[in-house]
Amino acid sequence: MPSLFRFLTVVAVLAGIVYGVVFALANFVNPKPREMTVTIPPDKFLKK
């Protein structure tokens, strides 16, 4: 059983690190807003 607890502890620590990285990226990185233009061909408007 000690190896199971050690494995679960390692998995929990790794999950915590990943969660912290995702949290930091979501809160501290500001994306630059920019204008986007997409050309849609007219045949996409025709109903089939």
Side-chain angles (χ1 to χ4, degrees):
M1 274 307 208
S3 62
L4 176 63
F5 292 135
R6 190 177 309 136
F7 171 73
L8 291 177
T9 303
V10 169
V11 169
V13 167
L14 290 176
I17 291 171
V18 169
Y19 181 81
V21 168
V22 170
F23 181 82
L25 282 175
N27 286 307
F28 301 124
V29 176
N30 294 322
K32 292 189 299 187
R34 53 189 176 152
E35 193 171 327
M36 189 168 119
T37 304
V38 177
T39 305
I40 301 173
D43 58 336
K44 294 284 184 180
F45 295 118
L46 298 175
K47 292 188 177 185
K48 295 180 181 179

